[in-house]
Amino acid sequence: MQKIIILDFGSQTTQLIGRRVRELDTFCEILPYNKFPNDDPDVIGVILSGSPYSVHDPEAFKVDLSQFVGRLPVLGICYGAQFISYSNGGKVEKTDSREYGRAHLQTVDTSNPLFRGFEQHSQVWMSHGDTITAIPEGYEIIASTADVKFAAYASKPQTLNLKSQTSNPKGVWAVQFHPEVFHTLQGSLLLKNFVVDICGSRQDWSAASFVDTTVAELKAQLGDDRVILGLSGGVDSSVAAVLLNRAIGSNLTCIFVDHGMLRKNEFRDVMRDYQGLGLNVVGVDASERFFADLLGVTDPEQKRKIIGRDFIEVFNAEARKIEGAKWLAQGTIYPDRIESLNITGKVIKSHHNVGGLPKEMHLSLCEPLKWLFKDEVRRVGRQLGMPEHLITRHPFPGPGLAVRILGDITPEKVRILQDADDIYIRGLREYKVKLSGEEARRVLAAGSPHTSNLSSLSSEVEVSLYDQIWQAGAILLSTVRSVGVMGDERTYEHPVALRAVTSTDAMTADWAHLPYDFMAKVSNEIINKVRGVNRVCYDISSKPPSTIEWE
């Protein structure tokens, strides 16, 4: 299968490059900068990412360009562009101030294949402290801005002994801006020009092809073996379950553990959804155990550890009842695996889906979604015919509402938060805004990748607030009491904070600017209907410096 290799030099947007390439129906693999696969015949091109380092830093990440330059088309982005220049005799120097934010290309060589179809004065996004002040011999400028002379450059055909970059395009292209980010308005076109026109991608990586290939691979891998899968109600595990069910049918047993801190009626509703999909699901209500073990615990990390420990023990107890099981399936997706390793290959944080299995289970691991980004998982879910409300669900923390209740956990506090959260989430789903097709594409692409193909949006569409948001939820400030008046009586009850953020990958997030009339309606309904709440606040902090969850 054709693939683009993206060498990661530590940029925060490396995953975004991968997503943009996948959107071009082209498979790509993100690897540490020093792990280029020299013996992989399926590689059709290489992209070098940005980096937090300067090329002059002693600890800067460096790669032997001769591994692929001249053999494959190469695109350097930001640090990648500077490293190519620096390594070949060009100059990279510190600037008096960082070149950060929007810029406009003043001159663009639209005859170059990288910029074919580009508009002059197209907006791009800069983010670098160094700048290229001279490019190597054998290279030429192909785009500039008012402040950056070498905004983009490319190798001349004769530099690599090529007759023509268009007939044998194994040259080098480099840009000091970020085509992968939303604010570079023609960034998708630039990447398409590189991936499709220059590298020659057949664009045969799609949800349909993934389903067909993966089902066949699962049948070959698993045979008649029995498989256990832990369901959470979330998108990843649900899609993994339906995919496995298509491959092995009744040999799959799913276990759905209710720890008592799910959303209101979620255990019942999700079980009904799973049964409607024809899945063999064992539902386990273990809420009493979890509440007992959490009694009096207020430290957020301790809450997480207790819930994680109890979940594994409950899950293992149920798994042992399934005779002949040889595999444990997980909804691990590609970002889970990338985020668990830094670019030197060392673990920087553990992920609940990464890191192995309990030894006593004696099961092999099956991860059918391990190559997919989150938006690709949703496309696969649609290809499998899953209901839209399962596919478009916002992310939800594994410990559930336990990390959205400040202080200790009790059934009554969970009840209060479930009721408030239910009003909030239902309100987001019901509140619709009419947008033009172009405006809807812009809003949804910038704020929430949960929706289906954005290019298919019509001239005017109704979009719910829920679909414009990456993640939303209510938080109970149970350690705080506020004074209120209800009727003629003084109250002394808890505040609830509402949180809603826009994001594309959860690495950074901004607070969602919800309409005032919506916020007034939801606040009024929560205070009137949820016993125990007399004040509603809205969280307007971004990530960073805050996080999406409060605990």
Side-chain angles (χ1 to χ4, degrees), residues 433-447:
V433 179
K434 284 190 175 181
L435 301 173
S436 69
E438 182 58 38
E439 189 177 14
R441 281 189 287 273
R442 178 181 60 79
V443 168
L444 295 174

PDB file of all heavy atoms in Angstrom, residues 433-447:
ATOM      1  N   VAL A 433     -28.524  26.376  14.574  1.00  0.00           N
ATOM      2  CA  VAL A 433     -28.142  27.655  13.968  1.00  0.00           C
ATOM      3  C   VAL A 433     -28.071  27.458  12.464  1.00  0.00           C
ATOM      4  O   VAL A 433     -27.491  26.476  11.986  1.00  0.00           O
ATOM      5  CB  VAL A 433     -26.773  28.126  14.506  1.00  0.00           C
ATOM      6  CG1 VAL A 433     -26.371  29.441  13.856  1.00  0.00           C
ATOM      7  CG2 VAL A 433     -26.806  28.258  16.020  1.00  0.00           C
ATOM      8  N   LYS A 434     -28.660  28.381  11.709  1.00  0.00           N
ATOM      9  CA  LYS A 434     -28.585  28.308  10.247  1.00  0.00           C
ATOM     10  C   LYS A 434     -27.303  28.975   9.773  1.00  0.00           C
ATOM     11  O   LYS A 434     -27.010  30.117  10.104  1.00  0.00           O
ATOM     12  CB  LYS A 434     -29.803  28.982   9.612  1.00  0.00           C
ATOM     13  CG  LYS A 434     -31.071  28.151   9.685  1.00  0.00           C
ATOM     14  CD  LYS A 434     -32.179  28.743   8.830  1.00  0.00           C
ATOM     15  CE  LYS A 434     -33.395  27.822   8.819  1.00  0.00           C
ATOM     16  NZ  LYS A 434     -34.488  28.365   7.972  1.00  0.00           N
ATOM     17  N   LEU A 435     -26.543  28.236   8.973  1.00  0.00           N
ATOM     18  CA  LEU A 435     -25.284  28.741   8.435  1.00  0.00           C
ATOM     19  C   LEU A 435     -25.243  28.495   6.940  1.00  0.00           C
ATOM     20  O   LEU A 435     -25.837  27.531   6.441  1.00  0.00           O
ATOM     21  CB  LEU A 435     -24.100  28.026   9.086  1.00  0.00           C
ATOM     22  CG  LEU A 435     -23.960  28.117  10.610  1.00  0.00           C
ATOM     23  CD1 LEU A 435     -22.831  27.202  11.075  1.00  0.00           C
ATOM     24  CD2 LEU A 435     -23.684  29.540  11.055  1.00  0.00           C
ATOM     25  N   SER A 436     -24.518  29.354   6.232  1.00  0.00           N
ATOM     26  CA  SER A 436     -24.266  29.070   4.828  1.00  0.00           C
ATOM     27  C   SER A 436     -23.360  27.858   4.743  1.00  0.00           C
ATOM     28  O   SER A 436     -22.676  27.500   5.710  1.00  0.00           O
ATOM     29  CB  SER A 436     -23.592  30.272   4.157  1.00  0.00           C
ATOM     30  OG  SER A 436     -22.266  30.432   4.659  1.00  0.00           O
ATOM     31  N   GLY A 437     -23.351  27.196   3.596  1.00  0.00           N
ATOM     32  CA  GLY A 437     -22.510  26.019   3.441  1.00  0.00           C
ATOM     33  C   GLY A 437     -21.052  26.312   3.725  1.00  0.00           C
ATOM     34  O   GLY A 437     -20.373  25.558   4.424  1.00  0.00           O
ATOM     35  N   GLU A 438     -20.559  27.448   3.214  1.00  0.00           N
ATOM     36  CA  GLU A 438     -19.156  27.812   3.409  1.00  0.00           C
ATOM     37  C   GLU A 438     -18.882  28.115   4.882  1.00  0.00           C
ATOM     38  O   GLU A 438     -17.871  27.703   5.440  1.00  0.00           O
ATOM     39  CB  GLU A 438     -18.805  29.029   2.551  1.00  0.00           C
ATOM     40  CG  GLU A 438     -17.351  29.471   2.646  1.00  0.00           C
ATOM     41  CD  GLU A 438     -16.382  28.356   2.251  1.00  0.00           C
ATOM     42  OE1 GLU A 438     -16.690  27.594   1.314  1.00  0.00           O
ATOM     43  OE2 GLU A 438     -15.327  28.247   2.904  1.00  0.00           O
ATOM     44  N   GLU A 439     -19.816  28.842   5.531  1.00  0.00           N
ATOM     45  CA  GLU A 439     -19.641  29.172   6.940  1.00  0.00           C
ATOM     46  C   GLU A 439     -19.694  27.911   7.795  1.00  0.00           C
ATOM     47  O   GLU A 439     -18.929  27.758   8.748  1.00  0.00           O
ATOM     48  CB  GLU A 439     -20.731  30.148   7.379  1.00  0.00           C
ATOM     49  CG  GLU A 439     -20.507  30.729   8.765  1.00  0.00           C
ATOM     50  CD  GLU A 439     -21.562  31.752   9.142  1.00  0.00           C
ATOM     51  OE1 GLU A 439     -22.599  31.818   8.465  1.00  0.00           O
ATOM     52  OE2 GLU A 439     -21.352  32.471  10.127  1.00  0.00           O
ATOM     53  N   ALA A 440     -20.589  26.986   7.442  1.00  0.00           N
ATOM     54  CA  ALA A 440     -20.683  25.723   8.187  1.00  0.00           C
ATOM     55  C   ALA A 440     -19.387  24.939   8.070  1.00  0.00           C
ATOM     56  O   ALA A 440     -18.898  24.377   9.052  1.00  0.00           O
ATOM     57  CB  ALA A 440     -21.862  24.900   7.668  1.00  0.00           C
ATOM     58  N   ARG A 441     -18.807  24.890   6.865  1.00  0.00           N
ATOM     59  CA  ARG A 441     -17.541  24.181   6.684  1.00  0.00           C
ATOM     60  C   ARG A 441     -16.450  24.809   7.545  1.00  0.00           C
ATOM     61  O   ARG A 441     -15.660  24.105   8.175  1.00  0.00           O
ATOM     62  CB  ARG A 441     -17.134  24.193   5.203  1.00  0.00           C
ATOM     63  CG  ARG A 441     -17.863  23.163   4.351  1.00  0.00           C
ATOM     64  CD  ARG A 441     -17.276  23.086   2.971  1.00  0.00           C
ATOM     65  NE  ARG A 441     -17.628  24.242   2.166  1.00  0.00           N
ATOM     66  CZ  ARG A 441     -18.742  24.343   1.448  1.00  0.00           C
ATOM     67  NH1 ARG A 441     -19.593  23.350   1.428  1.00  0.00           N
ATOM     68  NH2 ARG A 441     -19.001  25.425   0.748  1.00  0.00           N
ATOM     69  N   ARG A 442     -16.419  26.131   7.570  1.00  0.00           N
ATOM     70  CA  ARG A 442     -15.388  26.826   8.352  1.00  0.00           C
ATOM     71  C   ARG A 442     -15.575  26.568   9.845  1.00  0.00           C
ATOM     72  O   ARG A 442     -14.636  26.227  10.553  1.00  0.00           O
ATOM     73  CB  ARG A 442     -15.447  28.333   8.077  1.00  0.00           C
ATOM     74  CG  ARG A 442     -14.437  29.141   8.881  1.00  0.00           C
ATOM     75  CD  ARG A 442     -14.571  30.633   8.571  1.00  0.00           C
ATOM     76  NE  ARG A 442     -15.895  31.128   8.886  1.00  0.00           N
ATOM     77  CZ  ARG A 442     -16.307  31.423  10.126  1.00  0.00           C
ATOM     78  NH1 ARG A 442     -15.497  31.265  11.158  1.00  0.00           N
ATOM     79  NH2 ARG A 442     -17.513  31.884  10.330  1.00  0.00           N
ATOM     80  N   VAL A 443     -16.805  26.711  10.335  1.00  0.00           N
ATOM     81  CA  VAL A 443     -17.079  26.550  11.764  1.00  0.00           C
ATOM     82  C   VAL A 443     -16.805  25.125  12.215  1.00  0.00           C
ATOM     83  O   VAL A 443     -16.152  24.879  13.230  1.00  0.00           O
ATOM     84  CB  VAL A 443     -18.536  26.946  12.081  1.00  0.00           C
ATOM     85  CG1 VAL A 443     -18.919  26.510  13.493  1.00  0.00           C
ATOM     86  CG2 VAL A 443     -18.722  28.448  11.924  1.00  0.00           C
ATOM     87  N   LEU A 444     -17.291  24.155  11.440  1.00  0.00           N
ATOM     88  CA  LEU A 444     -17.142  22.763  11.852  1.00  0.00           C
ATOM     89  C   LEU A 444     -15.698  22.295  11.754  1.00  0.00           C
ATOM     90  O   LEU A 444     -15.208  21.577  12.622  1.00  0.00           O
ATOM     91  CB  LEU A 444     -18.058  21.866  11.023  1.00  0.00           C
ATOM     92  CG  LEU A 444     -19.565  22.107  11.227  1.00  0.00           C
ATOM     93  CD1 LEU A 444     -20.366  21.269  10.246  1.00  0.00           C
ATOM     94  CD2 LEU A 444     -19.986  21.792  12.648  1.00  0.00           C
ATOM     95  N   ALA A 445     -14.998  22.711  10.700  1.00  0.00           N
ATOM     96  CA  ALA A 445     -13.605  22.294  10.543  1.00  0.00           C
ATOM     97  C   ALA A 445     -12.740  22.874  11.654  1.00  0.00           C
ATOM     98  O   ALA A 445     -11.816  22.225  12.138  1.00  0.00           O
ATOM     99  CB  ALA A 445     -13.074  22.732   9.179  1.00  0.00           C
ATOM    100  N   ALA A 446     -13.045  24.109  12.076  1.00  0.00           N
ATOM    101  CA  ALA A 446     -12.230  24.762  13.101  1.00  0.00           C
ATOM    102  C   ALA A 446     -12.584  24.312  14.500  1.00  0.00           C
ATOM    103  O   ALA A 446     -11.751  24.346  15.403  1.00  0.00           O
ATOM    104  CB  ALA A 446     -12.389  26.284  13.007  1.00  0.00           C
ATOM    105  N   GLY A 447     -13.827  23.860  14.703  1.00  0.00           N
ATOM    106  CA  GLY A 447     -14.274  23.605  16.062  1.00  0.00           C
ATOM    107  C   GLY A 447     -14.519  22.173  16.428  1.00  0.00           C
ATOM    108  O   GLY A 447     -14.308  21.756  17.555  1.00  0.00           O
TER     109      GLY A 447
END
